[in-house]
């Protein structure tokens, strides 16, 4: 829950990266220079203004929850994991934004370059990952509850990537589409036809 409380305080460019919120990308540089064909973006750039504002202003009672405590769980904040499931819990714009599939329509069809972590969904015969969720922080959808749908990108790659660990970040380049996809793991509000998967490397 600490990640949601500390997320998005300030501008999109300075506080928009969930990677930086968790201190996961403190010393990364790209293994390859940016291709000018691709517009470089961060995950927070994908949030509509109303969702950005809502996630920047979590309910006041969350500030009293100690990090790492039993109450510091996304399920508790969402009313046992689903907005509206707990009738005794008032639902706020913040709760709604955690489940939002609202998108930035101007990104539809754009070639973009975005950093993130890969959550594998499908493999080929050589165990190369060909379909995945791109997420803004490691452990999302596996060790932690998923981010809001408009902070998830369903990536499909013809060439794929051999993934040694979910803790390695990548630059993903491709054509972004505004399209909701649901599966057993999570719901994403964006999809990408992936053209390049480029590892980060430590500086």
């Amino acid at each position: 829950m600490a990640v949601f409380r500390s997320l998005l305080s300030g501008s999109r460019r300075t506080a928009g990266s969930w990677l930086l919120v968790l201190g996961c990308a403190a010393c990364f540089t790209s293994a390859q220079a940016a291709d000018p064909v691709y517009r470089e973006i961060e995950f927070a750039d994908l949030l509509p203004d109303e969702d950005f504002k809502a996630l920047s202003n979590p309910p006041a009672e969350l500030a009293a929850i100690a990090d790492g405590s039993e109450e510091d769980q996304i399920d508790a904040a969402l009313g046992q994991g689903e907005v509206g499931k707990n009738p005794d819990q008032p639902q706020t714009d913040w709760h709604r934004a955690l489940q939002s599939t609202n998108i930035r329509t101007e990104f539809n069809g754009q070639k973009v370059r975005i950093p993130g972590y890969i959550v594998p969904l499908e493999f080929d015969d050589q165990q190369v990952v060909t379909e995945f969720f791109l997420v803004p922080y490691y452990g999302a959808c596996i060790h932690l509850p998923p981010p809001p749908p408009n902070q998830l990108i369903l990536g499909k790659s013809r060439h794929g990537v051999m993934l040694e660990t979910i803790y390695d970040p990548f630059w993903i380049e491709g054509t972004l589409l505004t399209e909701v996809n649901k599966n057993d793991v999570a719901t994403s509000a964006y999809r990408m036809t992936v053209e390049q998967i480029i590892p980060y490397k430590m500086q």
Side-chain angles (χ1 to χ4, degrees):
M1 181 53 57
V3 63
F4 293 102
R5 291 205 303 272
S6 58
L7 173 66
L8 306 175
S9 57
S11 71
R12 291 178 193 268
R13 189 55 54 183
T14 58
S17 173
W18 295 50
L19 301 172
L20 296 178
V21 168
L22 292 185
C24 302
C27 299
F28 290 127
T29 57
S30 174
Q32 177 176 318
D35 188 327
V37 170
Y38 298 95
R39 174 183 175 183
E40 189 170 308
I41 64 172
E42 298 176 350
F43 270 94
D45 295 325
L46 301 177
L47 290 169
D49 290 341
E50 63 272 20
D51 288 351
F52 182 88
K53 181 179 179 181
L55 291 173
S56 300
N57 295 281
E61 61 269 21
L62 292 181
I65 298 176
D67 290 352
S69 68
E70 185 176 347
E71 293 82 9
D72 188 26
Q73 302 294 325
I74 188 67
D75 282 357
L78 289 178
Q80 300 177 349
E82 245 179 69
V83 170
K85 189 171 181 180
N86 184 349
D88 298 325
Q89 181 180 22
Q91 300 304 316
T92 65
D93 287 343
W94 187 81
H95 290 91
R96 176 200 54 76
L98 287 177
Q99 301 290 318
S100 177
T101 57
N102 296 332
I103 46 83
R104 298 284 296 272
T105 56
E106 64 268 30
F107 283 113
N108 191 44
Q110 281 203 14
K111 288 184 173 293
V112 302
R113 182 175 197 258
I114 184 169
Y117 293 85
I118 289 175
V119 176
L121 297 175
E122 291 188 8
F123 300 81
D124 66 13
D125 294 339
Q126 284 72 48
Q127 293 302 298
V128 172
V129 179
T130 56
E131 184 172 321
F132 56 87
F133 279 132
L134 187 70
V135 298
Y137 54 88
Y138 66 77
C141 306
I142 296 178
H143 302 307
L144 298 170
N150 55 18
Q151 293 288 274
L152 281 169
I153 300 172
L154 177 65
K156 297 189 178 185
S157 172
R158 183 176 62 181
H159 302 293
V161 61
M162 185 66 74
L163 192 67
E164 295 183 2
T165 171
I166 62 170
Y167 303 109
D168 289 337
F170 292 87
W171 283 107
I172 308 297
E173 297 178 347
T175 302
L176 192 65
L177 301 170
T178 54
E179 176 184 297
V180 174
N181 287 271
K182 298 181 180 181
N183 63 26
D184 293 339
V185 177
T187 298
S188 63
Y190 293 92
R191 180 172 69 83
M192 182 186 284
T193 302
V194 177
E195 293 153 16
Q196 287 199 82
I197 301 174
I198 306 164
Y200 269 66
K201 65 179 181 179
M202 280 290 193
Q203 194 171 27

